Amino acid sequence: MARDFIMPGEIITGEGALDMAQSKLEALGTKALIVTDQVMIELGNAAKVEKILSNQGIAYAIYGKIAGEPTDVMIEGGLQLYQEENCDFIIGLGGGSPIDSMKAIGALASNGGKITDYMGKVIDKPTPPLVAIPTTAGTGSEATQFTIITDTKNDVKMLLKGQVLMPDLAIIDPMFTMTAPAKITAATGLDALTHAIEAYTSRKAQPMSDTFAVSAVKKIFTYLPIAFKDGKNMEAREQMSIAALEAGIAFNNASVTVVHGMSRPIGAIFHVAHGLSNAMLLKECLTYVRDGAYDRFAQLAYLIGVAGSEDSDEVAANKFVDAVGEICEELETPTLENYGIDKEEYVKVIDKMAADAMASGSPQNTRKEITLEDVKLIYRNLFK
């Protein structure tokens, strides 16, 4: 069966990638809107991008108002600045939030309307050129056709999509990830792990996405604990940057499954960062769905060396899920309760969260048949 497989237009990876990208930026336009956050400005990361643009004689404006996960209000502000400043291409600098925001601003610059108009629709009118410069190793947004924006009126995290949202240029320079604190390194790294595992165990998995997914899983189990404990370890940072990219490419083509479907509502209602909510859910969700894909989970167990040929697929799959639980613990992932979510408030919204999760379509990509009642049960299990 023929399969479509899409990736960013061009990818530059490794130490010094930003310098190497200078001449590429000149071909994209005459004035850039840099979409970022205050932390990137304070750390001097934005200044590094400004310098590169100035070297090429490219004008720019900075939109630094992405605070936390992007909302429809932030996107409207960015679009307004893009239009006022007569920009003709966009650079997203930061974690997944600025990169997702860049895509949404680009979509509105070409397609018009409000970002909430595109919930459940495919965005298909080409955007201005988009450049993604990730500063965390996790979301994979630099390699996907998706953007997640919160609809502030309805408390819903909208998953918006379209091949036109795929960045034209992804600059993966591990130098930028060196400033990420341990907690961010853990949450974003476990987000990448979730992408890779879900892509590999999705109904929509295909040989090409499998190649990227298994490579990412192996790298993350090896290098994420090192990057978490020693943020200055350049090899670990570089390997994690590549793993996040690989995981992004994998799930962009194979989709995510139940973990992502269930984490978005938790994030939207309780304001938990996306990577962290995935990490909180990961072990519980995989425990519930592993019997739908023992063979696939077993392959991952063999890959990371926690199971051997003497193990049946079922035993190996169980060992893999245990290993996932162990890495989440090693990286100090809090439970919902430890995070400070009130149990009564949580129980009250389980029905809404489950409905929103199923409406996203992601749980249906799980190889095990997942119903609304299954999702409610997993939500309840998280607060045993």
Side-chain angles (χ1 to χ4, degrees), residues 69-73 115 148-152 155-158 268:
E69 299 196 338
T71 66
D72 44 9
V73 177
I115 199 67
I148 298 175
I149 308 294
T150 299
D151 172 352
T152 50
D155 249 359
V156 172
K157 280 194 178 184
M158 303 179 293

Side-chain angles (χ1 to χ4, degrees), residues 74-98:
M74 293 177 205
I75 302 310
E76 282 162 26
L79 176 66
Q80 188 178 349
L81 187 63
Y82 178 87
Q83 292 168 335
E84 284 171 1
E85 292 283 341
N86 295 312
C87 297
D88 54 9
F89 73 107
I90 313 176
I91 298 172
L93 170 72
S97 296

Side-chain angles (χ1 to χ4, degrees), residues 27-41:
L28 297 179
T30 57
K31 188 167 187 179
L33 179 68
I34 302 172
V35 178
T36 190
D37 58 44
Q38 285 304 309
V39 174
M40 289 299 107
I41 293 168

Side-chain angles (χ1 to χ4, degrees), residues 41-315:
I41 293 168
E42 286 161 18
L43 287 171
N45 286 337
K48 289 171 185 164
V49 177
E50 291 170 54
K51 185 181 174 192
I52 293 291
L53 293 172
S54 297
N55 287 350
Q56 297 299 312
I58 302 168
Y60 59 85
I62 295 184
Y63 183 62
K65 295 187 178 176
I66 309 304
E69 299 196 338
T71 66
D72 44 9
V73 177
M74 293 177 205
I75 302 310
E76 282 162 26
L79 176 66
Q80 188 178 349
L81 187 63
Y82 178 87
Q83 292 168 335
E84 284 171 1
E85 292 283 341
N86 295 312
C87 297
D88 54 9
F89 73 107
I90 313 176
I91 298 172
L93 170 72
S97 296
I99 295 173
D100 276 7
S101 299
M102 165 192 74
K103 294 177 184 177
I105 293 165
L108 291 187
S110 300
N111 291 265
K114 290 189 162 69
I115 199 67
T116 47
D117 298 341
Y118 297 95
M119 174 92 167
K121 296 176 187 169
V122 174
I123 298 166
D124 55 9
K125 195 171 175 186
T127 66
L130 304 176
V131 180
I133 309 177
T135 61
T136 60
T139 69
S141 187
E142 69 274 9
T144 76
Q145 60 183 321
F146 306 109
T147 179
I148 298 175
I149 308 294
T150 299
D151 172 352
T152 50
K153 290 183 185 67
N154 298 304
D155 249 359
V156 172
K157 280 194 178 184
M158 303 179 293
L159 178 65
L160 310 171
K161 67 175 288 188
Q163 288 196 20
V164 295
L165 300 180
M166 181 68 70
D168 299 274
L169 176 62
I171 302 169
I172 317 298
D173 194 325
M175 162 189 77
F176 285 115
T177 68
M178 301 294 278
T179 53
K183 278 187 178 177
I184 301 291
T185 299
T188 54
L190 290 170
D191 189 20
L193 181 62
T194 308
H195 292 151
I197 295 169
E198 290 196 290
Y200 190 68
T201 58
S202 165
R203 289 175 187 267
K204 295 180 179 176
Q206 52 166 297
M208 285 278 286
S209 64
D210 285 351
T211 300
F212 284 96
V214 297
S215 180
V217 169
K218 193 169 183 180
K219 283 187 181 76
I220 293 166
F221 268 94
T222 303
Y223 291 103
L224 179 54
I226 299 170
F228 175 68
K229 289 167 190 158
D230 176 15
K232 300 289 178 234
N233 186 308
M234 180 54 92
E235 186 192 7
R237 290 295 196 182
E238 184 159 3
Q239 293 294 330
M240 278 305 302
S241 290
I242 294 168
L245 174 71
E246 290 173 329
I249 292 168
F251 91 83
N252 184 56
N253 290 282
S255 292
V256 286
T257 64
V258 67
V259 184
H260 270 75
M262 291 182 63
S263 80
R264 286 185 212 109
I266 287 178
I269 294 170
F270 295 103
H271 310 292
V272 182
H274 174 70
L276 185 57
S277 58
N278 278 337
M280 290 169 165
L281 282 161
L282 194 51
K283 171 91 187 283
E284 198 63 53
C285 285
L286 298 188
T287 299
Y288 196 85
V289 304
R290 61 189 163 185
D291 58 345
Y294 280 140
D295 57 336
R296 289 247 143 189
F297 286 113
Q299 287 304 315
L300 295 177
Y302 305 137
L303 174 83
I304 64 167
V306 295
S309 54
E310 71 282 0
D311 293 312
S312 67
D313 279 358
E314 182 177 347
V315 168

